[in-house]
Amino acid sequence: MKFENSLTQLTDQLELLEAEAALEIDAAKDSVSLEKIRVGLLGKKGRLSSVLGAMASLSNQERPIVGQRANLLKKHLQTLLSERLELLKAQAMTERLESETLDVTATPTGIPFGHRHPLITTTENIVDLFCGLGYSVAEGPEIETDEYNFTALNIPEDHPARDMQDTFYLGAERLLRTHTSPVQIRYLKENRPPVRIVAPGRVYRRDAVDATHSPVFHQVEVLAIDEGLDFSHLRGTVMAFLTAFFGDLPVRFRASYFPFTEPSAEVDVQWRGRWLEVMGCGMVDPAVLEGLGLDPERWSGFAAGLGVERFCMVRHGIDDIRRFYTSDLRFLEQF
Ligand code: DAH
């Protein structure tokens, strides 16, 4: 008697194979392991083949019975395998979609917005107000010549501003401009009057840093040249501008001296109970006009130089000029 390969034993083996295969297939986690299972079950050296190999010992009547069952089992396993494969593919797709989903309706969090620097906005406000009065914008270089920064502005050789102590020189002839006034000269060399310009920009002085001084700061230069301009036009323009910028702060004109204007004045606004100087101004000195080949009998005009930092400090109640240059975000984010 051959026990191993009797009909009942083989059908039992097929049944066992079916039950185990179903469990294995069900447990497959991905298509790669499912393929290994398929080879182990239905491949040439797989478990089904070895059962079929053992059929040789059966009788002619028994063999077709096992053969038929084995065929059915094979079809059944193929169905289970392909169903499992579909399921795994669908799961993988869902997982991918979920992980790659972009929720366009989600509220963005933590995206930092940039802020414009208060000195930039203040400069723009000043320039805009003058543009509203019919002025246009001019610019000049920060590296200037001694000629434009001083001589053409009627600043004498022995003026203290020319001292190495006060000015950053870049060799004998060139320097970092100490004010925006040289733009007056550059503009009038290129353009004949009537002119009305504002020239914003950075200026440099050899000042030690403290609460009110910085070696780099910002000015806006104002220049108007025409026929028949006098001090009342200067005063009217300055008042119109200051009222537009500050509202109703008290303003006073104080007689002063600048080599390139005559008469000259400094303008103060009252702030926190004290007079604070915010600009210098005056009627353009005839010597400056003559130097440019303009007849002072025909042309006259006024000029002013505004300190942007001062305007910004008064407007925003800032007590220390150093806050503008230290890039402290807690300060800058307020604007
Ligand atoms: N340039 C002068 C300064 O930096 C300011 C100034 C005063 C400019 C009077 C002017 C002016 O145009 O008329 O101190």
Side-chain angles (χ1 to χ4, degrees):
M1 275 238 289
K2 289 184 282 173
F3 288 108
E4 312 92 71
N5 295 328
S6 71
L7 177 62
T8 26
Q9 272 179 331
L10 285 183
T11 45
D12 282 355
Q13 277 182 33
L14 287 177
E15 243 165 64
L16 184 66
L17 177 56
E18 180 168 10
E20 284 177 357
L23 288 176
E24 256 182 83
I25 291 169
D26 242 12
K29 290 270 178 289
D30 54 49
S31 55
V32 177
S33 45
L34 189 66
E35 175 60 13
K36 277 193 194 138
I37 293 168
R38 190 190 67 78
V39 173
L41 293 171
L42 304 179
K44 274 204 181 98
K45 292 176 183 164
R47 287 175 67 185
L48 189 65
S49 290
S50 66
V51 177
L52 293 177
M55 276 165 51
S57 56
L58 296 179
S59 69
N60 284 345
Q61 293 92 330
E62 290 169 328
R63 217 172 289 135
I65 302 171
V66 178
Q68 212 177 5
R69 283 220 50 185
N71 267 337
L72 284 175
L73 176 59
K74 186 177 176 184
K75 284 215 179 83
H76 180 55
L77 292 183
Q78 278 167 340
T79 313
L80 288 182
L81 283 163
S82 65
E83 280 173 1
R84 182 71 190 158
L85 186 63
E86 287 310 309
L87 189 80
L88 287 173
K89 275 191 196 161
Q91 274 176 0
M93 178 59 87
T94 318
E95 267 170 38
R96 220 181 116 186
L97 285 177
E98 271 168 14
S99 69
E100 291 175 6
T101 298
L102 184 66
D103 181 0
V104 291
T105 65
T107 312
T109 53
I111 297 173
F113 286 99
H115 294 247
R116 312 204 71 200
H117 195 282
L119 287 177
I120 301 285
T121 20
T122 302
T123 305
E124 281 182 1
N125 289 160
I126 295 171
V127 166
D128 282 353
L129 289 172
F130 278 98
C131 287
L133 296 174
Y135 287 67
S136 44
V137 179
E139 274 178 321
E142 289 174 26
I143 295 177
E144 259 302 358
T145 60
D146 184 85
E147 166 72 19
Y148 287 165
N149 196 80
F150 295 126
T151 316
L153 286 162
N154 201 33
I155 300 176
E157 286 292 338
D158 57 357
H159 194 280
R162 290 196 169 209
D163 203 309
M164 295 282 287
Q165 300 281 315
D166 297 309
T167 302
F168 289 108
Y169 283 92
L170 308 165
E173 253 311 300
R174 294 193 306 164
L175 46 79
L176 294 179
R177 66 177 178 194
T178 60
H179 51 179
T180 44
S181 300
V183 184
Q184 294 186 29
I185 306 299
R186 288 186 173 270
Y187 194 82
L188 286 173
K189 282 200 177 253
E190 299 291 323
N191 304 273
R192 297 280 94 182
V195 306
R196 280 171 178 73
I197 53 156
V198 274
R202 213 177 273 159
V203 302
Y204 302 83
R205 290 190 199 165
R206 295 183 75 117
D207 281 330
V209 179
D210 65 24
T212 53
H213 292 88
S214 160
V216 188
F217 58 102
H218 300 76
Q219 288 188 335
V220 176
E221 192 77 12
V222 182
L223 176 70
I225 308 280
D226 207 334
E227 289 173 287
L229 289 182
D230 59 38
F231 203 91
S232 66
H233 298 107
L234 166 59
R235 198 184 151 81
T237 304
V238 167
M239 288 309 294
F241 161 70
L242 288 177
T243 313
F245 191 91
F246 288 123
D248 276 338
L249 285 188
V251 175
R252 79 175 179 195
F253 282 65
R254 221 169 0 92
S256 184
Y257 171 77
F258 298 102
F260 37 92
T261 46
E262 178 58 32
S264 306
E266 281 172 290
V267 182
D268 304 334
V269 295
Q270 205 172 48
W271 185 57
R272 294 183 170 170
R274 295 203 298 173
W275 289 106
L276 187 74
E277 185 211 321
V278 290
M279 69 167 94
C281 62
M283 301 307 293
V284 176
D285 195 301
V288 173
L289 295 174
E290 269 166 11
L292 289 159
L294 296 172
D295 178 5
E297 296 297 324
R298 180 177 175 200
W299 303 106
S300 61
F302 57 81
L306 290 60
V308 176
E309 276 77 356
R310 285 281 169 91
F311 279 81
C312 192
M313 287 167 88
V314 173
R315 168 170 276 182
H316 295 293
I318 297 161
D319 54 357
D320 192 323
I321 201 171
R322 288 169 288 200
R323 300 218 185 274
F324 292 128
Y325 316 116
T326 42
S327 301
D328 184 339
L329 287 180
R330 291 169 304 174
F331 170 73
L332 293 173
E333 277 172 351
Q334 300 175 87
F335 299 95

